[in-house]
Each structure stands twice: as C-alpha cells, then as structure tokens.
Amino acid sequence: MGVSIPQIFREYGFYLDHWHDPEDPRFYHGRIEKESRLVDDDRFHEVSLDPSYWESWVRESRGWAKPERVILMDGVRRIHRRLCDEYGSAAGCIAEIVVGHMLWSEKGVIPCLNPQIRRVLVLPTFRMPKLKDIEAYFPSPMGFKFDIVELESGGEDSISKTVDNLLLAEEGEYLKKLFLKGEAFILKDGTMHPGFPSFAGHLHGPIGLVKRVLREHLPEDLLSLVIKLPKGARTPFYVAYVREKEDILRVMCYLRIMDPDPFGSPMMGVVRLETLVKRVDFESDEERDRLKKEISMAFDMVAGFASSMTIKGCDLPRTPENLPIVFSLEKWLSSFFLPTDCLNAFLKGGV
Amino acid sequence: MRIGNVSGLKPVTPYEFWVRVEIEEESRLPRRMIQIDDMVKLSFNYERFKEIKAYGVVVEIETCWDREGMRGFEEALVTSNKSFALPIYLAKVIVTRLEPFISVPPPVGTPVYLVEENETDEVYGFGPLKEKKRALPVGILLNGGVAYLDLAYILGDNGAHINISGVSGVAAKTSYATFLLYSLLETGKKLSREDASLRSLANSRAIIFNVKGEGLLFLDEWNTEWKNNEKTERVKEWKSMFEKMGLEAKPFEKVSYYVPSMKGDEKKPDVYYRTYGVKIFGWDILDIIRLDLLELMFDPEELSKNVNIQLAVSALSDTLWNNYKSLLDEAEEELPRLRDEGRYDFDMESLRDDDKIRLYLMVSGREPSDLLREKGIPPTFEDLISLLRDEEFRARLSAEEELEDKTIKAMARRLRAARKLDIDRVWKRLDLSCFGVLNEYKPPEYRLNWDNSEDGCGMITVIDIAKLRYRAQTFVVGAVLKEVLHSKESALRPEPVFIFLDELNKYAPRMGGGPLGAIFRDIAERGRSFKIIMIGAEQTASEVDYRVITQASTVVVGHQKVAELKKDEYAHLIGAQREKASTLLQGELIVDQPFLRVPMTIRFPMTPWATREDSHQPRNSIPSLKEFFS
C-alpha cells in the first residue's frame, strides 16, 4: 500500500523549506564522533601505556605486509529537501542513503555495481498514525518509492540525527552481509559502532578507519607521541569500553598515513584504526592473547595498506586522512543519488 | 553483437548520435571494442511510427575518465591503484540509412549492435544499386563485406570522373586505378550478360599514361608477387578478395602498348624492359593541324603570360588550318578522278578528313612533301621552323594577323627550344610511299589505335610518356585528350573511354595550366556528356585545377600528409577520417561518392597484373635451363 508524497503534503500541511541549504551535492562528510577520553582504568592494551614504553615500541622496525584484497566499505547520505510543518518548524525531510564497497587488489579496483540504496521520507509519524507501515512515492514515470521513517526527537538537529542513525543502521546491515561473504579483508570508512560485526581475524577484519580524531582523547604525553609518529607507523593499540553497550569493547590505535605539511595541523595525516571485540572474549587470558596477536597483525596490515594509498600533492578534500580511494568510493556511491533537480521537478509538479 | 547504447551524454539527432560502449565490470575495458569505420545498427519505435531501423558508421571514438573535472593527480591515483574511476568509451555514429526514412532520433539508451558482413549492403544501401545493376565492386570493407560504388556516378549519368590522391609509394594510387579499371571492364562484361542495355560498358576503352619507369607496360603479365607465392596466406587472401567481389584474378587481356621512339631514330622504340609487343606513337603535321596541337609545343606558363606569343601561335595555327582545309578541298576534288585513273581502288568516303589528305598525297603522283610545302604545310618539325624563318611567310603572317616580325621570330626561337625538349620525338614525318595501285588504305603506324578492338588491339591502351621531357609529355597528354574528345564529338558512341593519368597536378595545375589546363577543364566539364571519364591521380589534390578536381564525382584518398589533409579538398572526410587518412596502410583507401553519407574505408588486393617493371612474369616465359632439361 502506498501514498503519494504530494498527497501527504496536502493532507498534513507540510511544505518544502525553501531556506534549506542543500548540503554538499555529492556526499555527506560525516559528523565528528564524541569520543571518550582514555582513562587509566581501561584495562587492556597491547603494551604498557607508559609513554616511554610507547616510544620505544613505535621505533621498533615492523615488517607490515599488505593484504592481497581489501574491501573498502562506506555509506553516504543526502538530505534533498527539508520539510516544515504548518507552524514553520522543521518537521522532516526527503533523504537518500547509499551504502556500498569497492574491492581493491594489485590488479585494480572494482566498485560494487549494486550498492544498497534506501530512500526515506522522515516525518513526525507519531502525529500521523495512518502513515505507519506504508510507502510513499513520487507520481513520476520512474515511481521511486520512499520508506516513511519516524523523526527522532533531538531538537533542532533531529533531522540530521535521524538520517545519520539510518545511515549507521544501513552500514551495519551492509557490513554484516559483506562479512558473511568473507571475500576479503574489510576496511570500513568511519568508526565501528556497537552492532557492527566484531573482529574475526587478521584476514577478515573488519577494521574501521576514523579520519577525524580529536586531540582530547589522549593524555597530553601520549598525544605528543602520536604527533611524532613517522609515516606508516602506528601506536600500540588499547581497549576502551563502549559505554553504551558494555559487552562490546572497542580496540583502537593511531596511525600516521602521511607526513604533515609544515603549515598544517600536527594531527594532519593521523587516523585511528578501530575494531570491536566481545568483552567475553577478552575475559579469558588465552583467547585474549590470541585476539591481541590477531588484532596486532590486522592493524599492521592496515597501517601498511593505508599509508601506501596516499600520494603527496593530492589536494582532494579532507586528504590525507580521507584516503583517495575512499574519496572515489564516496563519489561512486553519490552517483546513485537521485539528481536533486529531477527530484525538485517531481515535487514542484506534485505539490 | 551488442556493443553499447545510444548515449544521452551528447546530442542525439536523426542523423548522428554517440554510442556509449559497454564496459566489462572487472577489466573496465569494452566488452566489444569498436573502431573507426565499423558499421552499426539499431532499431527503435515511437508510438506514432512503426519500427524504424537505423544503420550507421562509426566516424569518431573517444575515451576519457567518466568523472567531471578530473585532474592529473587524481588520474595518477587511479592508475596507481590508489583511487578508482570508470573510463567511458564514446563512439560517434553517422546514420547512413533509416528504414523507413523517418527523421527522428533514436531514443537515448537504445541498444546498438555491430553489423556483420552479410548485412553490409543495408548500411550503405548497396541493395538498390545491385538491383539496378549499377554496383561496381571497389574493395573490401573493414567487416569483410564488399564495397560498391554507383556506376551512375562514374559513367556520366549522375556524375563522372574519379580522382585519387595520396603520397607516392604508400597510397598505391596507380595500382588502385588499374584495379578500378579492371573492375569496370570485368563488371561491364558481367552486367552486359545480364542486361544487354549495359553492353556499352563491356565495350569500354581505357587509355593509361605510364609516367614512371616502365611500370605499366606489363599489365597483361602476372605479378611475380602472385605467381611466386601462390600457396601463401597472402595470395590466398587476395584471391578470396577477388572472389568476394565477383572478379576473376588474372592479368588484363587485350592491352596495347605505345612508346616514343628513341631520339634521333624514329623507328626504334625507347624501351629498356618491355622489349616486345610495343608500337611507336606520334603525330604528323596533319594530326597536329587537325587537332590544333601547335600551342601544346610552347611553354604553357609563357603562353598564359605573354599575349603576343599567344596571338602569334594562334595566328600560325589558323594559317596552317586554312592551308589544311584548302588541301582537303583539293583532295576531295581530285580523289574521285584519281580512282578513275586506277591509282587506288576502294571507297574513300568513309575515311577521315586527314586520311583523305594522306591518300591524296599517296596517290597524287607527286612527292608528298613537295605538295605539302607547296600548300604551306610544313611536313617536318624542321620545315615548320624553316617556314617561320621564311621572310615572305613572316611578312604575310604579319600583314594578315597584325603581328610584329620580332614576335614571329620569337615564336620560331621557342619552337627550336622545344625540339630540345623532345617535341621532335613525337612529331612524325609523313611516310606515304606508295607503289602501284593502292587496294587498301592503312592509317599511319604511329597512330594510337585506342578505339579499335577488331584488329587485335586492346581495350586498354598504355601510352608511355615516362621517358619524354616535360614539354613533350604535356604535348602527348594534350594530343591524346583532344584526339579522344574529337573522336567522341564526331560520333556520339555510347562506349565510355576511361583515361588514367597520374601526376594530374603537373598537367592540370591549380595555377597557370595553359592550353593543356584548358583541355582538362573541357574534358572535366563536358567529357561526361561524351562518356569520357578521367581517372586522375596526384599526390596533393589541393594543387590540381579547381574546376577539374571538383568535377570528380568519385573521390579516393590514400595515405596522405596531415598538412595536406587540412585543405578544403578533403572536407568530405567525416570526423576522424581526416586523421585516419594520414595513417592508412598500403592497400587501404577512403572512397567517396555522392550517394554515400560517409566515405568508406576499403582494402583492395595486390593486383595479379604487374604494375612494376621488376615484378612481371611473362605469360609465355622462356623456360629455365632446369625446366628445359626436365
């Protein structure tokens, strides 16, 4: 059962917010994660958190092999139009989410041709019980269908928050599917959220690559060591609790993929690698040691891979942290968005 | 085989569109790559019309990254596997045929397929040509299909004349011209068997000027490339090309060869390799007057610039023509009486005017030279110069034509100079000895018998001008053209006459062609009505007389220099064909005719007849010692 989008607009008195500033037409940059500060009682780490020990560990020569095949996974979202209710308050949006991957190997890069696309109409459905569990569509020849999704509460940022959470959910689903196929080592762009698959070995990952890291996360003495990391070097990993869901632990390390510019931020070229492990697996000493070894190998591989995927002089947006290959994946995925002008034409024709 | 879809990335019109070539997911290369001159087809329908089939030819191909504003470093990232971008392959197609002809563009996204060999006729519309028996096979297309030209654009019905241009040595202009002639003659024979009304083509005549070495003096002999390599793949391929075109691969038959005489020896042919089966050609004073060839003995550039000399030459020609007419009148009056006197015994009415004079000179009982001199007609080249030295003649000419004496003297000086330029080798003295009663008239042996096939002369007449100096070459070319034009003007016969001349730019240059240029323009513009078909060849079409080159309905371009290809003469080449013409291989040519929307790139086989003096094998060659003893 479906209902046309213009019909919903007419019936519930929504209108398009003409003050809505369209986002980057190509893709969404992602929000900065709120990060918990590393605290002394974080129990598990690769080596001692003592700065002098960290320093000597980093200086050690480490032979990092690159994986033969890497799946790079990412998701993009676009809020095409924001909707206002009859009182002029932001009440929803028309948005799209595309999640997909690319397979890298020495032979070349192959993009997925059928990424996961979700089109949503975000509305305050708690006020509109009739719209529950039905689809909305444009009265267009193509008849694109949109899921009606409830707007989350969250003040002014609620629309973005709702879409971001949908993106996370889609990414989680997609990551699970990729993980089940087990075709290659999985490197996901962005942080690893609870609900994403846990670490499954150095040949599979998945590892998250967090591009934008906050200085505040690390104590000052360790931060100064991170800044001094040479290209291709990583810090020892450590484990932090995922506060929201304490049976999952997040294992993290810092990696420099590019030497900083003389005039750039000292954190330029520093990324964070993450993976999730089950708390229960870290309870047993034997399993913990095995996992620590595997994670160490996986982080080493990613360090070797990611630091080799940059070039000097590349002035793509958000590089060097945003690897060019990830940038091209984002562009590829963004090409699956409906053209905004086309969507506007449908809306203007129908509303 | 599907190659891609009609692309909406570029404008689509009923007459041209672009195809986005399908890419393989893994390799990112086209599933089926296409090339310039590939033929494609598609079908589509709109509600208002029935199914429309469209055929076309690829004229341009381009590939680039399918990403707007991609920069160098991004490409470096992609090529070093650090980023990803999809390439896009786009091919421009010129629509050659819409069936039915409804001018609507194909919808964007319509699948496009490659045309296989058996569908070639549909692309270029050869089917109707074949039905009307006007299809002339001219080579093999890229997909293996046979390329045809419309005879109506060659034989003068819709247009005439063929022009072939290309750089020397690579474009194979001469070989292709002889191949076209062969195809015309053989197709003529074949078509006349199917349709009697086409017999004239089967009876065509061809005149070929040999301008280099003795290359074209062996057209009736096997090419050693064929004979020595009969079992090789190359020869098998050539044979198969001939078979596809429905032509028998064999040397020409019925070819007669004419060569000039050695300097200072009128009876000895000037040949080095072709030492057998050749005749000496030339023109005597009666031919020169009849065909008005005097002006061809002078420097064409000077004639164009110096009006006085031009007037003097014209006056001398007029005077000689009047004397000729007076002698003809006398001959026509006297010949019946001389027959009654038993000097000769046959009907002279069917003879040409100049032959009547020759007969009269033979049977008049007087010394022919004396009689000619008496009538003011110089029998030899030396006599002509002497005549101009004669004060009485000069005075009369000055008085009659208002010429200054010094101009006539200057004309005499130039004629003397022309003798050094081999004019004397082609001016034949009259040989009119006759003893007893003449029972039969035989035309002079040096006469070019291009129009006669009954006495064993060929359908092809090869005239060797390679060993003559430039002035004599232009004289011969002009004389032959005038001869043919006169002949066709006087008797409107339907058989076409093909005249092949290489280095056309030398004889009909864009600037200052003189009298010969005027003859070429006349042939180019009026020759079509008389079925005189010029097959001209040159390195650079831009250097040929504009009025001559633009009259050619069939244009062939071989390997050509890039700078030359930028000229307007090559504007008919579409898209990348201009660039392609600079990379054509030997045996590849681009052929164009008005009925074609897109010129065709064709290949033609190595000719089974020799086109070089060092590559011929006589039909009845002398056996080697080994063969003799076995």
Side-chain angles (χ1 to χ4, degrees):
Chain A
M1 191 184 156
V3 58
S4 83
I5 291 175
Q7 205 178 328
I8 297 172
F9 281 28
R10 278 192 294 271
E11 192 166 329
Y12 294 95
F14 291 118
Y15 56 87
L16 297 172
D17 181 5
H18 66 283
W19 278 91
H20 172 62
D21 185 16
E23 289 160 354
D24 183 323
R26 288 172 302 179
F27 52 85
Y28 169 63
H29 291 195
R31 291 186 309 161
I32 302 162
E33 281 281 310
K34 282 186 180 172
E35 292 180 324
S36 52
R37 193 179 169 84
L38 188 65
V39 289
D40 293 339
D41 66 347
D42 285 331
R43 292 186 303 173
F44 310 109
H45 33 79
E46 196 169 5
V47 295
S48 162
L49 285 178
D50 175 17
S52 62
Y53 200 85
W54 262 46
E55 197 169 9
S56 63
W57 187 90
V58 167
R59 277 206 217 106
E60 274 179 32
S61 172
R62 303 167 68 80
W64 293 343
K66 267 203 285 188
E68 280 181 11
R69 285 149 60 90
V70 178
I71 286 176
L72 292 125
M73 197 217 99
D74 200 5
V76 290
R77 53 87 149 170
R78 179 178 293 171
I79 297 176
H80 286 288
R81 297 306 300 261
R82 204 161 57 182
L83 311 177
C84 290
D85 61 18
E86 54 193 318
Y87 307 108
S89 310
C93 68
I94 297 169
E96 278 184 294
I97 291 154
V98 183
V99 183
H101 72 279
M102 274 181 182
L103 176 64
W104 175 93
S105 74
E106 289 292 352
K107 288 182 194 165
V109 182
I110 304 166
C112 66
L113 295 180
N114 296 302
Q116 189 167 298
I117 302 171
R118 190 164 184 211
R119 301 191 171 98
V120 291
L121 181 62
V122 177
L123 294 171
T125 48
F126 52 90
R127 287 193 263 155
M128 302 173 275
K130 270 204 299 188
L131 294 181
K132 278 217 163 173
D133 302 324
I134 61 168
E135 277 175 339
Y137 61 87
F138 280 113
S140 68
M142 289 83 103
F144 295 111
K145 286 177 181 162
F146 283 70
D147 297 334
I148 297 176
V149 174
E150 182 163 346
L151 176 70
E152 291 182 16
S153 57
E156 287 198 356
D157 210 16
S158 60
I159 292 174
S160 285
K161 192 179 158 191
T162 308
V163 178
D164 288 343
N165 283 339
L166 287 168
L167 173 64
L168 279 180
E170 292 299 321
E171 282 185 339
E173 289 301 312
Y174 197 86
L175 195 55
K176 275 178 199 164
K177 282 184 210 162
L178 281 179
F179 193 68
L180 287 173
K181 282 186 188 167
E183 283 175 349
F185 184 89
I186 298 171
L187 184 61
K188 184 203 162 288
D189 185 52
T191 194
M192 294 296 281
H193 286 271
F196 285 7
S198 303
F199 183 73
H202 76 281
L203 296 177
H204 303 283
I207 303 288
L209 192 145
V210 181
K211 293 184 288 241
R212 194 157 181 192
V213 291
L214 291 182
R215 305 166 66 107
E216 296 81 39
H217 180 70
L218 285 166
E220 205 57 45
D221 45 0
L222 294 184
L223 179 70
S224 64
L225 290 178
V226 169
I227 287 168
K228 282 186 215 158
L229 282 172
K231 183 186 171 183
R234 71 168 176 90
T235 65
F237 67 70
Y238 58 90
V239 179
Y241 294 108
V242 179
R243 304 292 172 195
E244 300 88 340
K245 209 167 180 182
E246 299 212 351
D247 58 339
I248 298 291
L249 303 176
R250 187 177 283 162
V251 183
M252 298 179 277
C253 75
Y254 288 84
L255 162 71
R256 180 173 285 287
I257 55 170
M258 178 71 104
D259 293 324
D261 267 356
F263 305 106
S265 150
M267 291 298 278
M268 183 180 178
V270 174
V271 294
R272 194 172 69 226
L273 306 182
E274 294 183 357
T275 191
L276 301 178
V277 291
K278 287 178 189 153
R279 183 191 180 100
V280 54
D281 291 337
F282 255 45
E283 296 292 345
S284 126
D285 289 346
E286 198 180 321
E287 184 60 12
R288 185 173 62 246
D289 287 346
R290 189 191 66 78
L291 263 178
K292 280 171 78 173
K293 202 173 161 189
E294 284 278 324
I295 291 170
S296 185
M297 283 167 74
F299 280 173
D300 284 350
M301 283 206 317
V302 175
F305 172 74
S307 58
S308 72
M309 296 300 281
T310 56
I311 58 163
K312 266 197 173 168
C314 168
D315 63 351
L316 289 172
R318 295 171 289 125
T319 52
E321 291 85 18
N322 194 31
L323 294 177
I325 193 166
V326 175
F327 180 80
S328 64
L329 172 60
E330 288 167 343
K331 270 194 162 182
W332 172 249
L333 296 176
S334 304
S335 68
F336 289 86
F337 287 139
L338 287 176
T340 301
D341 51 354
C342 175
L343 194 124
N344 284 342
F346 294 153
L347 284 169
K348 281 173 189 164
V351 178
Chain B
M1 185 171 295
R2 183 173 164 150
I3 51 161
N5 302 70
V6 174
S7 171
L9 299 175
K10 305 244 186 183
V12 181
T13 74
Y15 311 110
E16 61 180 59
F17 60 87
W18 291 74
V19 180
R20 187 176 37 75
V21 182
E22 275 180 2
I23 303 273
E24 268 199 340
E25 285 168 28
E26 291 222 359
S27 66
R28 276 178 271 155
L29 292 171
R31 273 185 217 286
R32 170 86 181 187
M33 189 53 191
I34 51 171
Q35 57 178 324
I36 301 278
D37 290 318
D38 264 339
M39 288 161 259
V40 298
K41 63 176 180 181
L42 60 160
S43 68
F44 53 94
N45 50 23
Y46 289 103
E47 206 178 327
R48 190 180 152 201
F49 311 108
K50 286 181 187 167
E51 186 190 26
I52 299 168
K53 284 183 181 169
Y55 298 89
V57 176
V58 175
V59 295
E60 275 178 51
I61 304 173
E62 55 183 50
T63 179
C64 58
W65 296 113
D66 191 11
R67 186 190 285 178
E68 203 179 331
M70 186 150 166
R71 288 170 292 166
F73 76 88
E74 290 181 79
E75 184 176 58
L77 286 166
V78 172
T79 50
S80 61
N81 247 1
K82 292 172 182 171
S83 182
F84 165 80
L86 268 181
I88 185 167
Y89 290 78
L90 290 168
K92 185 179 181 182
V93 172
I94 297 286
V95 175
T96 54
R97 204 158 157 236
L98 284 164
E99 190 61 49
F101 188 80
I102 298 169
S103 294
V104 287
V108 169
T110 308
V112 180
Y113 300 87
L114 209 58
V115 165
E116 300 298 334
E117 186 183 329
N118 57 354
E119 294 170 294
T120 307
D121 288 1
E122 305 294 328
V123 179
Y124 288 107
F126 295 148
L129 287 187
K130 286 179 178 174
E131 280 170 28
K132 292 176 190 166
K133 298 192 171 36
R134 281 177 11 201
L136 175 76
V138 292
I140 302 294
L141 290 160
L142 212 58
N143 70 347
V146 177
Y148 295 92
L149 287 181
D150 187 349
L151 278 170
Y153 284 104
I154 294 177
L155 301 178
D157 302 328
N158 295 343
H161 311 307
I162 299 168
N163 187 269
I164 308 170
S165 61
V167 294
S168 216
V170 192
K173 304 185 290 289
T174 308
S175 297
Y176 190 63
T178 58
F179 173 78
L180 273 182
L181 274 176
Y182 184 79
S183 180
L184 280 161
L185 298 176
E186 290 297 305
T187 307
K189 281 186 214 168
K190 207 163 74 176
L191 292 178
S192 67
R193 283 196 289 272
E194 296 169 16
D195 186 342
S197 67
L198 296 165
R199 191 157 295 155
S200 61
L201 181 59
N203 293 329
S204 305
R205 299 286 180 275
I207 297 170
I208 295 174
F209 289 99
N210 177 63
V211 297
K212 271 175 258 164
E214 292 179 14
L216 297 178
L217 300 186
F218 300 96
L219 294 177
D220 56 348
E221 294 185 5
W222 278 97
N223 187 337
T224 48
E225 288 277 327
W226 272 69
K227 274 291 160 189
N228 297 345
N229 306 296
E230 265 183 311
K231 287 177 184 166
T232 61
E233 286 304 313
R234 270 193 315 162
V235 175
K236 281 179 191 166
E237 192 197 344
W238 298 335
K239 275 182 184 169
S240 115
M241 288 164 92
F242 267 92
E243 273 169 31
K244 272 188 182 177
M245 289 185 272
L247 301 172
E248 191 183 344
K250 61 178 181 13
F252 281 94
E253 291 168 344
K254 292 188 180 178
V255 189
S256 47
Y257 299 97
Y258 287 87
V259 299
S261 58
M262 295 283 263
K263 197 154 182 93
D265 189 344
E266 277 202 6
K267 301 288 176 190
K268 196 173 176 188
D270 188 2
V271 283
Y272 185 77
Y273 296 98
R274 179 85 199 193
T275 52
Y276 46 93
V278 295
K279 295 171 191 167
I280 291 171
F281 69 87
W283 289 266
D284 59 32
I285 184 63
L286 297 178
D287 296 318
I288 289 166
I289 297 172
R290 177 177 62 91
L291 296 170
D292 194 14
L293 302 181
L294 199 63
E295 59 184 2
L296 294 170
M297 296 179 189
F298 294 85
D299 178 6
E301 207 164 322
E302 188 182 20
L303 279 188
S304 309
K305 289 176 185 168
N306 192 334
V307 183
N308 287 335
I309 290 282
Q310 198 182 338
L311 283 172
V313 173
S314 174
L316 179 60
S317 297
D318 287 350
T319 303
L320 292 175
W321 174 251
N322 290 336
N323 297 346
Y324 174 92
K325 285 293 284 179
S326 157
L327 183 58
L328 176 64
D329 291 345
E330 186 179 311
E332 284 178 333
E333 195 181 315
E334 289 293 315
L335 277 172
R337 183 181 61 78
L338 291 167
R339 187 179 183 187
D340 293 344
E341 287 178 7
R343 302 280 180 90
Y344 74 99
D345 188 20
F346 53 87
D347 180 21
M348 62 89 187
E349 287 303 321
S350 60
L351 292 181
R352 281 176 10 185
D353 286 352
D354 56 323
D355 284 336
K356 283 177 186 167
I357 296 176
R358 283 191 192 88
L359 176 63
Y360 175 57
L361 293 172
M362 288 161 89
V363 298
S364 65
R366 295 183 59 189
E367 174 60 38
S369 300
D370 291 346
L371 186 53
L372 286 170
R373 284 191 196 102
E374 189 185 296
K375 293 290 173 189
I377 297 173
T380 65
F381 193 61
E382 287 72 22
D383 283 329
L384 176 64
I385 295 168
S386 303
L387 187 67
L388 291 173
R389 279 182 186 153
D390 182 63
E391 282 190 19
E392 194 188 329
F393 178 77
R394 286 210 310 273
R396 201 170 66 237
L397 198 63
S398 297
E400 283 174 7
E401 304 290 341
E402 295 181 4
L403 290 169
E404 285 190 40
D405 190 52
K406 62 179 182 183
T407 308
I408 302 170
K409 282 180 177 168
M411 184 166 60
R413 280 197 302 276
R414 276 151 186 78
L415 276 175
R416 266 204 312 277
R419 185 166 53 188
K420 289 181 189 161
L421 299 173
D422 284 350
I423 288 291
D424 58 335
R425 290 174 68 188
V426 291
W427 181 318
K428 297 294 164 197
R429 68 177 67 237
L430 282 158
D431 183 10
L432 300 168
S433 50
C434 169
F435 304 99
V437 180
L438 193 67
N439 291 320
E440 179 191 15
Y441 176 78
K442 282 186 182 168
E445 283 184 0
Y446 46 78
R447 178 178 291 173
L448 287 166
N449 221 347
W450 63 271
D451 197 20
N452 186 356
S453 62
E454 287 165 11
D455 65 349
C457 289
M459 298 168 81
I460 309 261
T461 303
V462 181
I463 303 166
D464 180 25
I465 56 171
K467 295 182 195 81
L468 294 172
R469 301 187 71 170
Y470 174 59
R471 187 72 58 79
Q473 285 181 330
T474 55
F475 178 86
V476 174
V477 172
V480 172
L481 294 182
K482 281 198 163 190
E483 176 82 59
V484 174
L485 197 57
H486 272 243
S487 165
K488 295 291 272 182
E489 278 174 335
S490 57
L492 273 176
R493 289 162 55 181
E495 295 88 13
V497 179
F498 300 101
I499 301 172
F500 169 57
L501 176 64
D502 199 354
E503 299 174 0
L504 188 59
N505 53 322
K506 198 163 122 183
Y507 303 100
R510 179 134 313 184
M511 306 293 283
L516 184 58
I519 298 170
F520 269 105
R521 286 193 287 276
D522 195 23
I523 294 266
E525 289 164 355
R526 287 197 308 132
R528 180 185 151 189
S529 319
F530 302 111
K531 301 257 181 213
I532 302 172
I533 315 300
M534 268 309 298
I535 303 177
E538 68 286 318
Q539 291 212 47
T540 48
S542 62
E543 287 175 8
V544 177
D545 189 304
Y546 191 73
R547 281 166 62 189
V548 172
I549 201 118
T550 49
Q551 286 294 327
S553 294
T554 305
V555 181
V556 181
V557 180
H559 183 99
Q560 188 54 278
K561 290 182 204 159
V562 176
E564 171 68 8
L565 286 164
K566 288 181 179 161
K567 309 260 174 74
D568 287 347
E569 283 72 15
Y570 304 88
H572 60 102
L573 301 180
I574 295 175
Q577 282 184 328
R578 273 200 199 199
E579 286 86 356
K580 188 177 178 180
S582 66
T583 60
L584 289 171
L585 303 173
Q586 198 155 29
E588 286 182 344
L589 297 154
I590 299 174
V591 185
D592 192 18
Q593 248 193 355
F595 87 96
L596 295 166
R597 260 215 87 200
V598 182
M600 305 180 286
T601 302
I602 55 123
R603 288 180 301 130
F604 76 100
M606 166 76 81
T607 55
W609 51 87
T611 53
R612 281 186 8 225
E613 53 268 40
D614 55 353
S615 68
H616 69 100
Q617 183 167 325
R619 285 175 176 221
N620 301 311
S621 58
I622 300 161
S624 64
L625 282 178
K626 195 178 166 188
E627 283 170 327
F628 184 77
F629 286 111
S630 66

